[in-house]
Amino acid sequence: MSERIPVLKTEHLGITFGGLRAVSDFNIEIYEGELIGLIGPNGAGKTTVFNLLTGVYQPTEGSVYLCGEKLNGRKIHQFVDAGIARTFQNIRLFSQMTVAENVKVAFSKDIKYGMLSSIFRSPAYWKTEREIEEKAMNLLSIFKLEGKAGYLASALPYGEQRKLEIARALATNMKVLLLDEPAAGMNPTETAELLECINIIRERFGVAILLIEHDMSLVMNICERIQVINFGQTIARGLPEEIASNPEVIEAYLGK
Amino acid sequence: MKKQNYLSGYVINFIACAALIVFSAVAGTLGFSVKLSTIIWQCCYFIILACSLNLVLGFLGQLSLGHCGFMAIGAYASALISLAFQRAGFYTEKSGPQFMLVLIICVIAAGLLAALVGLIVGIPALRLKGDYLAIITLGFGMIIVNVINNLPFCGMDGLSQGSASSALYQTGLGFILNQLTDYLWLPVTLMVLCVAAMFLFIRSKYGRAIRAIRDNEIAASASGLNVSYYKVLTFVFGAFFAGIAGAIFACCNSSLTTGSFSFTSSSILNSTFIVVMVVVGGMGSLTGSAVAAVGMFMLNYTIKNGKWVESLPEFLQMVFSYPMLVYSIALIIVIIFRPKGIFGTYEFSLRRFFVSIPKLPQMIKNRAAAKKEKAEVAENE
Ligand SMILES: Nc1ncnc2c1ncn2[C@@H]1O[C@H](COP(=O)(O)OP(=O)(O)OP(=O)(O)O)[C@@H](O)[C@H]1O
Ligand SMILES: [Mg+2]
């Protein structure tokens, strides 16, 4: 039996902004199909970790590996090519485009037809466009958004915008999905729906998920393992029960 | 079913374009005056210019203030290349198959050269955003004029007989008088082809990608788009068409002066003015750009040549003797009442138009009913 290699792995990942060490010595290993929670108080550096994992920031120390391949120094879109997709804490949709188009954009990297094909509307163009139309609708149907495919993204209610962001991330055909506070601002019903969606995603796509979330009951409920950071440093990692009773974690959240 | 819609749309558009081209080809026999023909020539290059700038400004969301620079490159390139052919004795008269060949070569070369310069300028410039990009493209527009002024083969009699000067008196293309009417199919065909190509471009993965970049650059790259590639591509694509517009310009002027493309040019052929056309027409609507281009050109033309200005009251005539003042007021009015431009992001579709004709009475009725209802609700409150 060969050793399993983690889908996503970091080694001593860190970044300094001026004098501020926003993240330091961050180590994580995520295996296929796992769902890991990343938690920590406000300003702990969670979003910064995501930015390091997706190439938005270049780390000042350490490295990121995807399936054993080192990703340092690549551009954001190359991280996506490699197989890391994400959503954003503050929703970033293509607001002047339709819901379906938002998803189709994320298929672009897999669309093979070129400039001439699109100007002369070659058969390849039609074939590809039909395929991605179908794929986009399939994805949207997971989130029950297929009925709103023609709406402008900005016209969706907040909860659905968050879902659309996840759908768009899924369209990149990734190996690891990073969700930055997907339930933020959602009411309990919406959160429950979101949970359902996450389960469907895991079943259908078998992807590894790294989840940032402030809703503790949600995190404790669905995450297999949890990593806690505070002031950019990992203070605990382990099973949900262990985390819930860890004195250092309780202190970080509640103070002494 | 959906594809059928597309197909019928293409067929209708194709027929309409073909009809337009045929119509322009027989303009001579229809008795078009030289004056009218000149106006159509000018409208054609303005339409191409405005639409191609809209790709960069409206769809990609990057402010470029040097669009006329690319047009200048296209104009000079086509004028000089044709002159070279003429001097080499490849053609003597502006007709016949040999001249046609030269014409085609010139138009394509004009586009390609402008695109090449667009590539060279775009790669470094598009790393910048917003105001910085605006300033650097503004600088480009000024620099290109100076470069052309100082190239020894771009002035006076051109090529080996030329010298550095701001005017080129010899071109191999420059149609005059009746030729303008006889060759009216040329700008119309080019305009139709260019606009069609741009339209098909924005209705493909490229259009989706650049609109995504406009809406949110970080999300676009996090969705796997190579943002700098698409930016440069669109910039180069836009420059290509500006170059072709330049070739048309070279065809309808018997001599070229760099002043016509410079930033300080007081005519409406001025990079800022093209920006205004795009903004007025609607950033993100090729229909809007085309309509605004023709509209503003005609406004400018009639203010300068029209009889209607004379019939205005004295003080309005005073205002109209400063056309730039009129445009600024017009621009302010449009921006106040239609902040997204006249057309917003709406695109006119011939197919939709034909489909809706039979439904028109019903639509009007519905609208009237809705209005009545609204009024009643207001009354009740
Ligand atoms: N580009 C940047 N330049 C300077 N400082 C930054 C930058 N990005 C993040 N920081 C700092 O890094 C720290 C961590 O921020 P981060 O956004 O990662 O926190 P977070 O854990 O996601 O918090 P929240 O729960 O509020 O989302 C903060 O102190 C923040 O000010
Ligand atoms: Mg955060």
Side-chain angles (χ1 to χ4, degrees):
Chain A
M1 222 6 235
S2 66
E3 204 185 324
R4 275 216 301 168
I5 46 165
V7 187
L8 182 72
K9 181 179 151 189
T10 65
E11 271 176 5
H12 311 296
L13 196 63
I15 188 168
T16 335
F17 296 114
L20 177 79
R21 295 196 81 183
V23 172
S24 60
D25 200 21
F26 182 81
N27 295 293
I28 199 167
E29 285 185 4
I30 306 178
Y31 293 90
E32 206 181 306
E34 268 191 319
L35 202 171
I36 312 256
L38 179 63
I39 61 171
N42 284 114
K46 304 179 295 292
T47 301
T48 309
V49 167
F50 270 27
N51 285 335
L52 288 171
L53 292 179
T54 51
V56 176
Y57 295 153
Q58 292 298 332
T60 44
E61 57 192 80
S63 31
V64 180
Y65 298 88
L66 193 86
C67 300
E69 192 186 352
K70 196 169 169 176
L71 296 182
N72 283 34
R74 300 209 189 171
K75 303 234 175 69
I76 304 178
H77 67 93
Q78 290 168 326
F79 274 77
V80 183
D81 286 342
I84 304 183
R86 73 176 290 184
T87 64
F88 295 89
Q89 184 171 359
N90 46 342
I91 300 178
R92 290 176 182 272
L93 285 173
F94 308 127
S95 49
Q96 297 307 306
M97 298 170 73
T98 65
V99 169
E101 280 176 326
N102 264 270
V103 175
K104 285 183 190 173
V105 166
F107 286 124
S108 295
K109 72 184 173 69
D110 299 324
I111 297 181
K112 290 287 175 299
Y113 69 74
M115 188 83 128
L116 289 179
S117 276
S118 44
I119 289 178
F120 293 104
R121 290 293 191 253
S122 71
Y125 167 88
W126 287 114
K127 189 163 162 281
T128 327
E129 285 293 312
R130 214 167 16 206
E131 275 168 14
I132 66 163
E133 170 85 29
E134 209 169 285
K135 282 203 273 182
M137 293 314 264
N138 278 342
L139 261 180
L140 288 175
S141 66
I142 297 181
F143 298 90
K144 304 200 173 58
L145 284 171
E146 73 274 28
K148 295 191 171 175
Y151 285 39
L152 278 190
S154 53
L156 291 183
Y158 191 76
E160 289 184 338
Q161 293 198 1
R162 286 228 172 265
K163 287 184 187 168
L164 178 56
E165 248 204 339
I166 301 176
R168 186 180 65 190
L170 287 175
T172 61
N173 193 15
M174 76 281 97
K175 299 191 181 95
V176 190
L177 179 61
L178 312 179
L179 301 175
D180 199 343
E181 303 200 18
M186 284 190 175
N187 61 32
T189 1
E190 285 174 328
T191 310
E193 279 174 21
L194 179 77
L195 252 170
E196 212 175 292
C197 292
I198 291 179
N199 283 329
I200 297 176
I201 293 166
R202 295 183 67 193
E203 268 167 39
R204 277 214 209 160
F205 297 86
V207 294
I209 300 179
L210 180 61
L211 174 79
I212 297 181
E213 191 47 70
H214 276 303
D215 185 336
M216 277 307 147
S217 62
L218 191 144
V219 175
M220 294 294 165
N221 228 327
I222 62 169
C223 293
E224 282 142 19
R225 285 188 290 134
I226 294 175
Q227 184 150 350
V228 191
I229 58 174
N230 194 17
F231 298 116
Q233 254 147 6
T234 306
I235 56 170
R237 55 157 72 90
L239 300 172
E241 309 84 71
E242 292 168 9
I243 297 298
S245 56
N246 185 318
E248 236 185 302
V249 175
I250 295 169
E251 189 190 308
Y253 268 92
L254 301 175
K256 266 193 194 157
Chain B
M1 144 101 203
K2 214 165 169 205
K3 191 176 173 187
Q4 231 136 48
N5 272 354
Y6 279 121
L7 277 183
S8 62
Y10 290 147
V11 172
I12 292 172
N13 289 338
F14 187 81
I15 293 171
C17 293
L20 196 65
I21 291 169
V22 170
F23 186 68
S24 63
V26 297
T29 51
L30 292 176
F32 274 34
S33 68
V34 174
K35 207 162 139 193
L36 180 60
S37 302
T38 317
I39 291 176
I40 297 176
W41 275 85
Q42 288 168 313
C43 284
C44 286
Y45 65 68
F46 273 115
I47 291 175
I48 298 177
L49 266 183
C51 288
S52 59
L53 182 64
N54 201 348
L55 293 181
V56 180
L57 179 57
F59 291 92
L60 183 64
Q62 305 294 322
L63 178 53
S64 161
L65 288 176
H67 211 57
C68 285
F70 297 116
M71 186 183 187
I73 292 168
Y76 273 83
S78 53
L80 290 171
I81 291 170
S82 58
L83 191 60
F85 274 108
Q86 197 180 33
R87 296 244 167 101
F90 191 71
Y91 70 92
T92 42
E93 271 179 21
K94 282 174 189 156
S95 61
Q98 260 148 344
F99 178 65
M100 278 314 135
L101 185 66
V102 173
L103 206 55
I104 294 169
I105 292 173
C106 285
V107 169
I108 294 174
L112 289 181
L113 199 67
L116 181 68
V117 177
L119 185 69
I120 295 167
V121 175
I123 289 175
L126 288 164
R127 287 163 171 263
L128 302 171
K129 288 187 186 123
D131 303 350
Y132 302 104
L133 177 66
I135 290 168
I136 204 168
T137 48
L138 176 80
F140 160 75
M142 293 177 162
I143 288 167
I144 198 70
V145 163
N146 283 312
V147 169
I148 294 173
N149 278 347
N150 287 295
L151 285 177
F153 55 86
C154 278
M156 305 308 285
D157 287 336
L159 299 174
S160 55
Q161 300 166 25
S163 67
S165 152
S166 64
L168 175 68
Y169 295 110
Q170 297 286 323
T171 96
L173 294 174
F175 296 130
I176 42 161
L177 301 173
N178 278 336
Q179 283 172 335
L180 284 172
T181 315
D182 295 337
Y183 276 100
L184 200 58
W185 55 268
L186 177 70
V188 173
T189 311
L190 285 175
M191 186 267 287
V192 166
L193 289 180
C194 290
V195 174
M198 286 185 252
F199 192 79
L200 294 168
F201 174 82
I202 58 162
R203 291 285 167 92
S204 71
K205 72 163 180 182
Y206 296 98
R208 268 200 305 268
I210 63 176
R211 276 156 57 226
I213 291 169
R214 170 195 67 191
D215 279 0
N216 199 318
E217 209 173 308
I218 293 192
S221 52
S223 301
L225 298 181
N226 185 346
V227 171
S228 10
Y229 166 78
Y230 280 106
K231 276 189 178 174
V232 172
L233 180 81
T234 313
F235 194 70
V236 169
F237 198 62
F240 176 80
F241 291 114
I244 290 183
I248 300 178
F249 183 88
C251 286
C252 69
N253 287 281
S254 48
S255 64
L256 297 178
T257 53
T258 47
S260 10
F261 308 102
S262 81
F263 203 75
T264 47
S265 153
S266 60
S267 80
I268 74 166
L269 185 61
N270 172 322
S271 297
T272 20
F273 230 97
I274 313 298
V275 172
V276 171
M277 286 175 186
V278 173
V279 173
V280 166
M283 294 202 266
S285 162
L286 291 183
T287 314
S289 295
V291 171
V294 174
M296 298 198 50
F297 172 75
M298 288 315 289
L299 181 68
N300 178 62
Y301 186 84
T302 52
I303 285 178
K304 289 196 174 140
N305 308 305
K307 292 274 181 285
W308 59 271
V309 178
E310 283 161 35
S311 61
L312 291 172
E314 192 88 12
F315 82 96
L316 270 183
Q317 274 190 44
M318 287 267 291
V319 175
F320 273 88
S321 58
Y322 301 98
M324 284 295 161
L325 197 62
V326 181
Y327 308 143
S328 347
I329 295 169
L331 179 63
I332 291 169
I333 292 174
V334 170
I335 295 301
I336 289 175
F337 291 102
R338 307 268 323 185
K340 291 193 167 163
I342 296 169
F343 285 82
T345 54
Y346 171 84
E347 295 287 4
F348 176 72
S349 146
L350 264 182
R351 189 188 63 81
R352 243 186 294 140
F353 178 68
F354 284 131
V355 169
S356 67
I357 287 179
K359 297 185 195 149
L360 212 56
Q362 189 59 40
M363 264 162 66
I364 293 171
K365 241 187 244 166
N366 287 351
R367 226 181 242 175
K371 223 177 213 172
K372 213 170 159 192
E373 214 165 85
K374 228 183 196 172
E376 271 166 18
V377 169
E379 226 161 68
N380 289 344
E381 271 172 2

